[in-house]
Amino acid sequence: MSKVVKHKTAHTPPSRRLPNRNVGPFFEKLAAAIDEPVTELEYSSNFELLIAVILSAQATDVSVNLATRKLFPVANTPEAIYALGEEGLKEYIKTIGLFNSKAKNVIKACKDLIDKHNSEVPDNRKDLEALAGVGRKTANVVLNTAFGQPTMAVDTHIFRVSNRTGLATGKTVLAVEQRLLERVPEDFILDAHHYLILHGRYTCQARTPKCGACPVYEECMFKDKQAFAEL
């Protein structure tokens, strides 16, 4: 019986929308359960963060950290990484998925940072998204984490959690992002991205959500939460 439930309901969307009155308590409980709402990518500068986020596309934070622990002590500025060239950079990131295209993008991004931004990471969406390898999600992460801007980077975890709980339903990443920005309380907006991604990574998992240990079980609108809580 448990196997049938797991297969059938893991990606079933919620039947109802999370009521407005429950959004505040939802984040209050996440905040109480998650002590450090921070990225698990390792970095020590805005530039290192940018590179780490570019490398993290379709890859785990763990795999990125393993690579950057070797890369950043050798090259952690636009000039230093650009000097490595694509082939040199690949030697450090070849264990990460899509490393060929990522090496190409990172080198291009470094060149633009040097030529157009005085080797500084831009603090605005337009200039960030003009960099190779930087899309809306990457720009949102950098703007939020590096510059404290109220953006919402919707990855697979946040997309799943938002739809499953009823917090912000939508068929596209952009729709969920916009809905989250409308619904997340001001007191939690800066950390909401990290609360949701960590909740999705460790509790509200894709195939087998840990509903029995979920801090927002009462607020969650997932119609099969009781079945998963009993597994």
Side-chain angles (χ1 to χ4, degrees):
M1 180 65 179
S2 61
K3 290 185 178 179
V4 174
V5 171
K6 185 187 300 184
H7 174 74
K8 182 179 179 181
T9 64
H11 298 287
T12 303
S15 58
R16 298 184 301 278
R17 174 177 175 269
L18 185 69
N20 288 336
R21 66 179 182 277
N22 288 343
V23 175
F26 182 96
F27 279 98
E28 289 170 1
K29 291 182 178 182
L30 282 186
I34 300 173
D35 293 333
E36 295 185 83
V38 297
T39 180
E40 293 185 314
L41 290 171
E42 297 173 358
Y43 70 99
S44 60
S45 69
N46 290 349
F47 175 71
E48 287 187 0
L49 174 65
L50 172 64
I51 298 305
V53 178
I54 292 175
L55 295 177
S56 71
Q58 299 183 51
T60 65
D61 288 358
V62 171
S63 68
V64 173
N65 289 337
L66 288 174
T68 57
R69 285 171 193 167
K70 297 178 180 179
L71 172 64
F72 288 157
V74 175
N76 69 342
T77 65
E79 291 82 2
I81 289 185
Y82 184 71
L84 290 175
E86 283 186 43
E87 295 306 315
L89 179 57
K90 287 178 186 179
E91 288 301 309
Y92 290 96
I93 67 171
K94 60 186 178 183
T95 56
I96 301 175
L98 306 176
F99 72 92
N100 283 311
S101 60
K102 289 177 181 178
K104 184 176 182 179
N105 285 334
V106 167
I107 294 300
K108 286 184 177 179
C110 287
K111 185 67 164 61
D112 279 345
L113 288 174
I114 295 168
D115 292 345
K116 301 177 182 179
H117 302 288
N118 196 32
S119 296
E120 296 291 332
V121 176
D123 62 356
N124 65 87
R125 181 182 303 283
K126 179 181 178 181
D127 288 338
L128 278 171
E129 292 187 10
L131 297 172
V134 179
R136 185 177 183 85
K137 184 177 73 173
T138 296
N140 280 341
V141 172
V142 174
L143 290 172
N144 177 266
T145 304
F147 300 107
Q149 296 185 25
T151 58
M152 191 67 61
V154 178
D155 69 348
T156 55
H157 294 298
I158 294 178
F159 187 81
R160 176 179 67 254
V161 170
S162 297
N163 275 289
R164 179 183 278 165
T165 62
L167 174 64
T169 58
K171 295 182 178 180
T172 68
V173 168
L174 183 58
V176 170
E177 176 188 330
Q178 293 173 336
R179 194 71 184 118
L180 284 171
L181 290 174
E182 293 172 357
R183 302 205 77 193
V184 177
E186 184 176 353
D187 289 347
F188 296 101
I189 192 66
L190 289 180
D191 292 325
H193 162 76
H194 293 116
Y195 283 132
L196 294 174
I197 195 172
L198 292 171
H199 182 60
R201 184 172 290 167
Y202 296 109
T203 303
C204 194
Q205 298 174 337
R207 293 188 60 81
T208 312
K210 300 177 181 179
C211 297
C214 179
V216 293
Y217 181 88
E218 293 182 3
E219 288 75 20
C220 178
M221 303 302 294
F222 182 36
K223 69 183 184 68
D224 295 304
K225 64 182 183 180
Q226 183 175 350
F228 277 96
E230 296 171 353
L231 291 180

